[in-house]
Amino acid sequence: MPALVNYSNGDGEMYSFRANPMELAQLCSIAGDVYSPACKRARISSSFAFNSGESNRQPSIEILPDECLFEILRRIPGGKERGSCASVSKKWLLVLSSIRRSEICKPVSSCGDVEMESGESLEFEDDGCLTRSLEGKKATDLRLAAIAVGTSSRGGLGKLCIRGNHNSSGYGVTDLGLSAIARGCPSLRTLSLWNVPMVSDKGLSAIAKECHSIEKLDLCHCPSITDEGLAAIAGNCPNLSSLSIESCSRIGNAGLQAVAKLCPKLQSLSIKDCPLIGDQGLSALFSSSPAISKVKLQSLNITDFSLAVIGYYGRAVTSLVLTGLQFVSEKGFWVMGSAKGLEKLASLVITSCRGTTDVGLEAIAKGCPSLKQICLRKCSFVSDNGLVSFTKSAGCLESLQLEECNRVTESGIIGAISNCGAKLKLLSLVRCMGIKDTASGISLSSLSQCSSLRSLSIKNCPGFGSLGLALVGNLCPQLQHLELSGLHGVTDAGLLPLLQSCNAGLEKVNLSDCSNLSDEVVSTLARLHGGSLEVLNLDGCRRVTDASLAAIADHCMFLSDLDVSRCAVTDAGMGYLSNAEQLNIQVLSLSGCCYLSSKVLTCLKRMGRTLVGLNLQHCNGISSRTVEVLVESLWRCDILS
C-alpha cells in the first residue's frame, strides 16, 4: 500500500503525497551513494517559498546575522557612507543605531566627513550645539535612530526636544528610540520629553548611562517614568543644572532626594502637578542644593513647611513663582518672609494662593530686601492695607503687577504709587473689580509724586474712571508707555490732564476699547507728544474720526505703528496720512473700518514705500480686486484681508 509522506516547507505549510514502498527503498539506495557533507545550522532561519517546484531565496546580505552586520557596519567610519547604509533598510538603520561612537573604527583620514558636513543642512543653536526637534507623528523611534546615525560622526546632538502626542496610539517614541540616541549622542546636554507615554525608566536610564553631560532635563506628561529613572539621571549626570517636571504622576519625593544628594550644580527647578511630590522631597532639595536660583512650584501638595524651608535655605534664589498652592496658609508666607533667607530674591510671582494675605505680604517685603518685581494674581485676601504696607517696606520695588485682586481699591493703588517714590518704573492693573472711581476724597497735598514711573497699564478695570486717571496723571509726570484698555468710564476730561502732565514724552500709547474717547484726546496727544510717539493703538475707539488722522499726519513724525481698527475713519482720513511726507508708518491696521472703500487704493499705494504690514480684515467696502492689486503692488508688505 502506498505510504503517506508529509513534508513541511518551513513556513508552516504541509505538503502530502503517496509513494510506493519499493520506490522509497530505491530512492534511499540512490541517496546512500551520494556524498552529502554535514551542514552547520544557520543562526537566522531563512524563508523559502515553493512556486512551481522552485525556491526563491532572499538576497544573501539580508540573511546575515545582526552580529555580522554590526561588525561590518562599525568599520564604515565616514558619516556620509554610514548615512547611505542607514537608508538601505530598516534593519540596517537599527543595527547602525546600536553602534556606540566608541565602537566605530577610526579612519586614517577624515576627508569624507568634511565633505559630508559641508553638504548637509544642520540646525545649530547660538551656543553651537546641534539641535533636533520632533513633534507629533514625526516623533518615532525610526527618526530618532536616523538622527543618532546621522549626527554621531560630528559629535552627536547637543539638544533634543521631543513633543509627542499622548492621544495617538500605534506609533511614537519608546525606550528603543531613546537608547539609540544614548548610543549615538553621548555629548547630549539638553533633553526635553513631552507627551511620550511609552518612554519608561529603561529609556531614561539608557540616556543616563551614556550621556553624562546632561545639564537640562524637561519631563512633561511622562506617566511611565518613575523615581528610578530620575535617580539614574541624578547618579550619572552630576552637571545637571536645570530640572523641569510637569504632570509626571509617578515621580515623587525619592526622585527629588536623589537629585538633592547627587546634583550639587542644580540652579533651576520647575515642578507642576506632580501629586507624589511633597514637603519631604522639596525640603531635601533646598537644604542640599545651595545653588538653586530659579524656582517654580505649581499645583503641588505642599504645606507651610516647604515655604519655611525655601525662606531659610533659599539664599541663592533670585526668581520665585508660586501657583495654586492650596495647602499653604498665611503662616507659610509669613514664615517664608520672616526667615530672612531670601536676601537675593528679585522677582516674585504668586497666583491663586489662598494663604497670601496682608500679613504675609508685609513679612515678604521686610525679609526680601532685593525684591524688584512682584506680581499678584487672584490673591483675593490682599487688601489696600497690605498693598500700602508692602510698598512702604519694599525699598527696591520697580515693578508692581496686580491681576484680579478684587479687595484692592483705588485708594490702595494711589497709596502704593505714592510710597514707591523714586523706584517704581512699571504699574499694571488687570481686571481688579474692587477699583471704583472715588478719588475725589483724596488730597494731593498728602501724596508724593512717583517721578520714576515710566509704564502704566490698566486693562479691563470697569470701575476705573476719569477722576482716578486724572489723579494718577498728577502723581506720574514721567510716563513714556501708557496702556488703557477696555476702560469705558474714561472720558476726554479724565485723560487730558494726564496727557498734559507727562513731561518726558509718550512713546507708546494703547487706548483700545476706550469707547468714550474722541478726536479731542487724539489731537491733544498728537500735538503734545507727536515728537516722541512711536506706537498708537486706537482699536475700538468708535468716536475717533478723520480729524484724528489729520492731527496724526501733522504732528507724529516718528510714528511707525498705527492701529485704527473699528474706528469711524474714511477714505479722506487715509488721504491725510498718505499726503504726510514726514510719516514713515510701517504697520497699519484698518480692520473693521466699515467706512473705507476701494478708493483707498491710491492712498495705500502711496504709503507702500514704508509699509511692511497691513491689516484689511473685515473691511467690507474694499473689494477683493482692490486687495489683489495691493498684493501685487506692495510686494514687500504682508497683507491680511
Side-chain angles (χ1 to χ4, degrees), residues 8 16 36 46 53 295 371 384 416-417 432 435 453 492 530 551 581 608 622:
S8 172
S16 303
S36 177
S46 58
V295 180
L371 190 62
D384 291 342
I417 294 175
C432 292
I435 296 178
L453 194 67
D492 294 348
E581 295 182 357
I622 300 178

Side-chain angles (χ1 to χ4, degrees), residues 364-533:
I364 290 173
K366 293 179 179 179
C368 304
S370 302
L371 190 62
K372 294 182 178 181
Q373 301 175 5
I374 186 169
C375 178
L376 303 176
R377 297 190 182 103
K378 300 181 180 180
C379 295
S380 55
F381 294 104
V382 173
S383 67
D384 291 342
N385 293 332
L387 184 61
V388 172
S389 299
F390 173 83
T391 52
K392 186 180 295 185
S393 301
C396 296
L397 191 66
E398 296 180 356
S399 174
L400 174 61
Q401 301 177 59
L402 303 177
E403 183 175 340
E404 294 187 41
C405 296
N406 295 326
R407 290 197 179 188
V408 175
T409 68
E410 200 168 71
S411 176
I413 298 299
I414 299 299
I417 294 175
S418 179
N419 283 339
C420 290
K423 292 290 184 180
L424 190 66
K425 296 179 180 179
L426 183 148
L427 174 63
S428 175
L429 308 174
V430 180
R431 292 190 295 275
C432 292
M433 302 301 175
I435 296 178
K436 305 296 181 183
D437 202 18
T438 57
S440 57
I442 301 177
S443 174
L444 281 174
S445 59
S446 61
L447 300 175
S448 302
Q449 278 194 340
C450 185
S451 58
S452 61
L453 194 67
R454 296 292 184 269
S455 178
L456 175 63
S457 177
I458 305 175
K459 293 191 278 188
N460 299 318
C461 299
F464 199 93
S466 296
L467 293 177
L469 192 59
L471 187 56
V472 170
N474 289 324
L475 292 176
C476 309
Q478 300 297 320
L479 284 178
Q480 294 177 341
H481 300 169
L482 177 64
E483 181 175 11
L484 306 175
S485 179
L487 303 184
H488 302 289
V490 173
T491 63
D492 294 348
L495 186 54
L496 286 175
L498 186 148
L499 297 179
Q500 294 166 355
S501 64
C502 291
N503 301 322
L506 290 170
E507 298 175 0
K508 297 181 180 180
V509 176
N510 182 354
L511 303 176
S512 59
D513 289 314
C514 291
S515 56
N516 287 317
L517 296 181
S518 69
D519 292 328
E520 184 180 1
V521 161
V522 180
S523 299
T524 303
L525 174 64
R527 178 170 49 84
L528 296 178
H529 303 280
S532 59
L533 193 63

Side-chain angles (χ1 to χ4, degrees), residues 62 69 73 76-94 96-97 112-113 115-116 120 145-154:
E62 288 295 336
L69 274 179
L73 295 177
I76 303 177
K80 186 174 182 179
E81 291 77 7
R82 288 167 56 79
S84 298
C85 292
S87 62
V88 170
S89 67
K90 178 180 176 181
K91 179 180 179 180
W92 282 38
L93 172 60
L94 295 178
L96 279 166
S97 67
D113 287 346
E115 292 178 4
M116 179 269 303
E120 188 168 306
I147 289 173
V149 173
T151 61
S152 62
S153 63
R154 59 192 71 88

Side-chain angles (χ1 to χ4, degrees), residues 506-510 522 525-526 529-538 548-564 577 580-589 607 609-611:
L506 290 170
E507 298 175 0
K508 297 181 180 180
V509 176
N510 182 354
V522 180
L525 174 64
H529 303 280
S532 59
L533 193 63
E534 298 175 1
V535 178
L536 177 59
N537 188 342
L538 301 172
S548 294
L549 297 186
I552 292 172
D554 290 339
H555 301 286
C556 298
M557 297 177 291
F558 302 104
L559 190 66
S560 61
D561 190 329
L562 176 62
D563 189 342
V564 288
L577 292 181
E581 295 182 357
Q582 77 278 10
L583 273 183
N584 291 290
I585 296 178
Q586 297 180 4
V587 179
L588 177 63
S589 181
M607 297 177 67
R609 59 184 177 84
T610 59
L611 280 178

